[in-house]
Amino acid sequence: METNSPNSVISPELAAAFQLSTSFCRKEDDKPLSDLVPTGDDKCYLDAQKSNLKDRRRAKSLPATAEQASLFENCTKKVKFADTFGLDLAYVKHFSVTEDPHVPSKVFSRLNSYPLDDKQDNAVDLCETFSSSLKLYRLSPTFAMPVDSDDFEGRLQQFRVALEKVSITNFDVNGLIRVMDIDSVRKEVGVRHTFNDWMTFVDTKAVLESRQVHQELWSQFVFTLFIPPYMNPAFSVQFAVYHLTDQGDFWDNNAGQNYTLTWDNT
């Protein structure tokens, strides 16, 4: 490539350098390309800029200086395991129930540094809270078993139905009812009970268990009441037994007081 000046020649390599370093050269639109031909000093300046561009491109992945690069080249990672030094890779500790734990003396000295009165008060409060959480509520009858009373037979003759006894297991109340045999097509024996002081109630039917064959005067029925596990201890379980026949409905409600089971702390 030749310019208007016959004494100046630009090599292809230098022309390429012009294209890479156009940001460092000042262009004027009204001047021809011949005015942009560099002098000897300009060539040295362009060579320095090309060298800087190469260094900048390389600095994206390499250290900025040669000294830093030499530090990374001499630094290598080394990993050594404990077994190479004759040590165990794992340590297993076996504990025995008969072995007392080893408590460092620092723990005792720190424990003794606290005020004694506050520690005792806290211990008492903790014991009371723990004991109260262990209290269990269980149902207990407030009445004597009717079958053990002397007038049980007379009450059976009078009311045609009578509660014999109950037994309580966890949240189950099992009971036994004795009814007089009445000539009736309709015969229904059961228990009417409530958990909320008769705001609501439930009827539970009893099942025939046995019969006095030699007399054929009365029959026995069994029933089970299922108590809610989260029942409010402030309420009690009240119930009465019934015998429904064609001749009428007969009830045994403990002389109008109902049979009552209350919650007791154990």
Side-chain angles (χ1 to χ4, degrees), residues 1 4 29 64 89 106 151 164 168-169 171 174 177 188-190 208 210 230 240 248:
M1 178 177 179
N4 295 329
D29 296 337
L89 291 177
K106 295 182 179 179
D151 62 343
E164 287 193 17
I168 303 172
T169 305
F171 296 100
N174 302 307
I177 303 173
E188 181 178 338
V189 180
L208 180 65
S210 63
Y230 299 105

Side-chain angles (χ1 to χ4, degrees), residues 35-101:
D35 295 337
L36 300 178
V37 176
T39 61
D41 296 338
D42 293 337
K43 289 182 180 181
C44 296
Y45 175 77
L46 291 176
D47 293 339
Q49 293 298 327
K50 290 173 62 178
S51 177
N52 290 335
L53 289 176
K54 291 181 180 180
D55 292 340
R56 288 184 181 182
R57 288 195 299 270
R58 184 174 56 188
K60 294 181 179 179
S61 59
L62 293 177
T65 62
E67 291 79 4
Q68 294 179 348
S70 62
L71 292 177
F72 283 97
E73 291 177 357
N74 297 330
C75 181
T76 58
K77 294 182 179 180
K78 295 182 180 180
V79 178
K80 293 184 179 180
F81 295 94
D83 56 349
T84 59
F85 297 98
L87 303 176
D88 296 331
L89 291 177
Y91 177 74
V92 180
K93 172 65 177 177
H94 297 278
F95 294 92
S96 175
V97 294
T98 59
E99 180 182 356
D100 294 333

Side-chain angles (χ1 to χ4, degrees), residues 220-245:
Q220 285 181 324
F221 289 78
V222 294
F223 66 89
T224 301
L225 305 181
F226 299 100
I227 310 302
Y230 299 105
M231 180 179 173
N232 189 349
F235 289 97
S236 59
V237 181
Q238 303 181 52
F239 66 92
V241 298
Y242 60 81
H243 182 199
L244 309 180
T245 65

Side-chain angles (χ1 to χ4, degrees), residues 151-162 178-180 182 241-243 249-256 259:
D151 62 343
F152 178 76
E153 296 293 340
R155 293 174 55 221
L156 179 61
Q157 292 289 336
Q158 179 183 358
F159 300 113
R160 304 298 183 185
V161 60
R178 187 181 299 186
V179 299
M180 295 294 298
I182 299 176
V241 298
Y242 60 81
H243 182 199
D249 299 340
F250 304 96
W251 290 84
D252 176 18
N253 58 4
N254 194 20
Y259 294 101

